[in-house]
Amino acid sequence: MSSPIRFLLNDAEVTLTEVAPDDTLLDFLRLNRHLTGTKEGCAEGDCGACTVLVGRLHDGALRYEPINACIRFLAACHGCHVVTVEHLARQGELHPVQQAMVDHHGSQCGFCTPGFVMALYGLWMGNPDPSVVEIETALQGNLCRCTGYEPIVKAARAAAAAGGQAMDALTVERDDVTAKLAAIPPGADVRRDGKRAILPADTDGFAQALLDNPDATIIAGATDVGLWVTKFLRPIAPAIFIGHLMKEVDVSADEIRLGAGVTYSELLPVVEETMPELVDYIERIGGWQVRNAGTIGGNIANGSPIGEMPPLLIALDARIVLRKGDERREISLESFFIEYGKQDRQPGEFLESIIIPRPPGRIAGYKVSKRAHSDITAVACAIMVHEEHGMITNARIAFGGMAGIPKRATKAEAALRGRPFARDTFEAAAHAVAEDFTPLSDWRASEGYRSAVAGNLIRRFWLEQDGEDVRLSRAVGE
């Protein structure tokens, strides 16, 4: 039996009985509702011109986050409040963020401006007086090629000075929106032109839906699958949307347990609390909009050799729980990746949760890309070293981008174990890593570059642990 997609759009309630799984929110806004302030730029979640706010209930509390409408499928908006730039101005007056952009000449061609405004608005809903660094972090997923960022940052600071309460135009609506979202049934099942989109009400419903449709496309944050549609025109029907599921986070003294649907942004507070040395690594993944949508489980399950989370989690000796119907099995994350394009997952089976041991030693994560932020990875590296009384007792080093799967550098690890925690030991490991990989050359990086970077990241780990300042300019993308 079909059940409609229901959500709130600005101040209106929307009910849709015919939706295809590849219908995007951006097309619906522009073509169906004529809300053309939301722009289409890159159609892949990189430029931020399509940024809107999406509010969702989390444990009864309403939380808004900026996301990319170009790769947000319309079906995934079920149970949400979608806010576009048209909703900010009230009673003929610009919102303080909009007015500050005018006053400080933060716009030239204006194409990217609505996206900047929505990202900044999303920032101040949770942080009415952000620092410049926090502003820059919030704007990682927004590109401007006319104005430059200095006047935009000045506008952002000026808007903050206008006062925190004035920034939150949705405050007066929050209770009403919360009540309306709470009244929407949790599941949906719709079709258009014979193509079916399924939104299970809960994880048990997802498990059954996948058994019934083992060839369905599983869509969480759509930061990857979205491009299958917008760039490659790939069919994805039938599709099961799960971005609202598996959000559990449990932190204990020994380990961290994450539901596979936890996003990078939802993971960040946990990392800040338990592994603060990895905050910069997490904030290097995509832009803010991508981190608000992309999930840890999705980054693992798509099996990409350049995914950022698998090397980090492998270095941490993480385990995963795979589920098929009511049956579950637990395996090491490292063993999940078999070869390029092949993972240890049966038909009808899905990744349900990730178990991360608290690091017993020093840990670091590095991402090397052409741009410092919002860019695809050339090499990702994570290093965990445990030492006692000046001797290394255990080491785990994992790389992405160096092979067809995320993979440990076993020879480099062997060069560290049982050796003194000293420069010469890490120099030996830096040389040994060349025996672990024979990387490919592609448009991201050459074989020689990747090999050199792999060794240098091991050297960098030593320098950081020895107290030397090895921070590099963001202008060269590390």
Side-chain angles (χ1 to χ4, degrees):
M1 180 182 293
S2 64
S3 55
I5 300 294
R6 295 176 57 189
F7 62 96
L8 307 181
L9 174 59
N10 294 331
D11 56 359
E13 298 185 42
V14 177
T15 300
L16 302 173
T17 57
E18 295 187 358
V19 176
D22 54 1
D23 290 341
T24 66
L25 173 59
L26 178 62
D27 284 347
F28 177 78
L29 294 176
R30 292 183 59 84
L31 302 178
N32 185 285
R33 294 306 171 100
H34 308 294
L35 295 170
T36 54
T38 307
K39 308 299 184 185
E40 179 172 4
C42 65
E44 59 185 40
D46 274 348
C47 74
C50 67
T51 300
V52 298
L53 259 60
V54 170
R56 186 186 290 276
L57 293 178
H58 294 262
D59 297 326
L62 181 59
R63 188 177 73 198
Y64 289 90
E65 294 177 321
I67 59 97
N68 298 115
C70 67
I71 54 173
R72 178 75 163 208
F73 291 112
L74 184 59
C77 295
H78 181 75
C80 297
H81 183 202
V82 178
V83 181
T84 70
V85 70
E86 287 87 354
H87 197 52
L88 266 63
R90 301 297 175 95
Q91 299 177 344
E93 294 187 5
L94 292 177
H95 187 275
V97 171
Q98 295 169 309
Q99 188 62 55
M101 290 286 281
V102 173
D103 294 342
H104 291 268
H105 310 288
S107 174
Q108 286 187 25
C109 84
F111 191 88
C112 68
T113 303
F116 274 94
V117 168
M118 296 306 290
L120 290 175
Y121 181 44
L123 171 65
W124 278 297
M125 290 188 74
N127 185 355
D129 188 22
S131 67
V132 171
V133 171
E134 290 167 328
I135 293 169
E136 291 176 346
T137 300
L139 297 180
Q140 288 171 352
N142 293 80
L143 301 181
C144 176
R145 291 295 178 260
C146 296
T147 307
Y149 291 91
E150 183 175 355
I152 295 173
V153 173
K154 287 181 178 178
R157 294 297 298 153
Q165 187 63 29
M167 302 298 298
D168 192 355
L170 296 179
T171 296
V172 295
E173 304 168 354
R174 189 175 291 268
D175 290 344
D176 184 49
V177 169
T178 298
K180 288 179 178 178
L181 292 183
I184 296 176
D189 192 333
V190 290
R191 301 173 189 259
R192 186 173 66 78
D193 299 332
K195 297 184 289 186
R196 185 182 181 192
I198 306 167
L199 281 89
D202 52 32
T203 305
D204 290 340
F206 169 38
Q208 185 59 53
L210 191 58
L211 287 178
D212 296 338
N213 303 271
D215 296 325
T217 304
I218 302 173
I219 303 175
T223 56
D224 189 17
V225 177
L227 276 66
W228 296 4
V229 172
T230 62
K231 295 299 183 181
F232 304 112
L233 306 181
R234 284 176 54 176
I236 60 171
I240 305 175
F241 291 85
I242 61 167
H244 57 298
L245 301 178
M246 297 178 286
K247 296 289 190 180
E248 302 82 11
V249 177
D250 182 20
V251 179
S252 69
D254 299 323
E255 62 187 21
I256 301 162
R257 287 179 173 259
L258 305 173
V262 171
T263 66
Y264 303 110
S265 291
E266 290 165 343
L267 174 66
L268 189 58
V270 178
V271 174
E272 290 173 338
E273 176 188 349
T274 60
M275 297 173 282
E277 57 269 60
L278 298 177
V279 168
D280 180 68
Y281 185 83
I282 301 299
E283 290 185 342
R284 290 283 306 273
I285 300 174
W288 190 24
Q289 295 90 329
V290 167
R291 294 194 295 274
N292 288 337
T295 65
I296 310 306
N299 194 247
I300 294 169
N302 70 11
S304 171
I306 56 170
E308 291 91 353
M309 291 306 297
L312 179 60
L313 295 174
I314 289 171
L316 289 167
D317 200 15
R319 310 182 305 279
I320 59 174
V321 175
L322 298 168
R323 176 175 175 180
K324 182 176 183 179
D326 293 330
E327 298 179 356
R328 294 173 173 86
R329 63 188 177 104
E330 183 178 308
I331 63 173
S332 69
L333 176 59
E334 181 183 2
S335 66
F336 178 69
F337 303 101
I338 299 172
E339 59 186 43
Y340 180 74
K342 184 178 181 181
Q343 296 87 45
D344 181 8
R345 187 172 69 241
Q346 304 166 5
E349 192 172 47
F350 64 93
L351 173 59
E352 186 176 41
S353 59
I354 304 105
I355 305 163
I356 310 169
R358 298 284 285 265
R362 309 171 192 236
I363 181 74
Y366 307 110
K367 171 177 173 171
V368 178
S369 54
K370 293 182 180 179
R371 292 196 306 261
H373 299 99
S374 194
D375 198 7
I376 197 166
T377 300
V379 177
C381 171
I383 302 174
M384 193 284 293
V385 172
H386 183 221
E387 53 102 6
E388 294 181 4
H389 308 296
M391 301 295 291
I392 298 173
T393 58
N394 191 22
R396 293 178 66 92
I397 304 174
F399 281 91
M402 296 290 289
I405 58 174
K407 191 174 179 181
R408 284 172 64 185
T410 55
K411 289 184 172 59
E413 292 175 356
L416 294 176
R417 290 195 191 97
R419 304 290 297 167
F421 193 86
R423 180 187 296 270
D424 290 346
T425 300
F426 284 88
E427 186 63 32
H431 284 286
V433 77
E435 302 176 32
D436 282 306
F437 303 103
T438 305
L440 297 174
S441 293
D442 58 22
W443 62 270
R444 289 181 293 270
S446 67
E447 174 187 353
Y449 178 81
R450 284 186 163 109
S451 295
V453 163
N456 285 339
L457 290 177
I458 294 175
R459 296 182 178 98
R460 177 176 177 176
F461 179 85
W462 158 254
L463 292 172
E464 289 178 338
Q465 301 303 319
D466 193 44
E468 295 191 31
D469 188 350
V470 294
R471 291 173 295 176
L472 305 182
S473 168
R474 288 184 176 184
V476 298
E478 292 200 8

